[in-house]
Amino acid sequence: RDLINQNDINKSIPIFLNLFLSIERNKDLNNLIQLFFENFDFDEVIELVEPEERILINLSYCQYNFLIKNFKKAEAIAIKNIQKAESLIKAPQTEDLGWLIVRRSLASCTKKDLSRIALTNLVTTMVN
């Protein structure tokens, strides 16, 4: 929190990502996510992270939008995350991360029919 409040984006990102991966469904994490995206511009953060970390930033931004009740945007990001998770799920070394992204993305969908379609599409493309 101190690094975020000090506007130290470069030091904040790795710590934020580590905490985001380690903790799930936690009030303190939700507060941290809100603080992070209220202080740092999403586009700037995306440009600063490694390509393989971008999906985690997208996932956390999805959760941020859900937390601030911007459900339409959260769902749009969630659907894209689920689609991108397919390649992670197919690789043994990133399979767990891929399923984590799917699970957390589904949790950010308020329209259950939309999440069911996204999950069905994922399963269908993986089977074929």
Side-chain angles (χ1 to χ4, degrees):
R1 292 178 195 272
D2 289 343
L3 291 172
I4 293 171
N5 287 326
Q6 293 168 12
N7 227 14
D8 194 338
I9 193 169
N10 291 315
K11 288 182 181 175
S12 297
I13 291 172
I15 295 168
F16 174 76
L17 288 175
N18 193 16
L19 287 170
F20 183 73
L21 271 172
S22 304
I23 304 168
E24 192 170 345
R25 298 178 194 242
N26 178 289
K27 185 178 92 171
D28 291 329
L29 177 64
N30 289 343
N31 291 337
L32 184 66
I33 291 168
Q34 286 186 272
L35 181 67
F36 186 84
F37 286 110
E38 287 167 1
N39 283 276
F40 301 130
D41 179 64
F42 171 78
D43 293 324
E44 183 180 357
V45 173
I46 280 289
E47 289 300 316
L48 291 173
V49 299
E50 297 296 321
E52 61 273 7
E53 295 172 325
R54 288 185 180 153
I55 195 161
L56 292 173
I57 294 297
N58 279 313
L59 182 61
S60 61
Y61 191 61
C62 175
Q63 190 169 340
Y64 167 73
N65 279 283
F66 184 84
L67 291 169
I68 64 168
K69 299 185 182 349
N70 188 350
F71 300 123
K72 189 172 183 176
K73 188 166 189 172
E75 288 172 341
I77 297 168
I79 299 306
K80 288 179 185 175
N81 288 342
I82 292 167
Q83 292 166 345
K84 291 177 184 175
E86 179 185 350
S87 61
L88 294 171
I89 292 169
K90 287 182 177 180
Q93 65 272 23
T94 57
E95 180 181 11
D96 289 341
L97 176 61
W99 285 116
L100 177 138
I101 289 164
V102 170
R103 185 178 68 249
R104 288 192 185 180
S105 294
L106 289 171
S108 294
C109 291
T110 56
K111 297 177 185 166
K112 297 306 170 196
D113 58 329
L114 188 64
S115 58
R116 188 176 1 282
I117 291 168
L119 189 56
T120 301
N121 289 341
L122 173 67
V123 172
T124 302
T125 58
M126 290 183 60
V127 171
N128 293 333

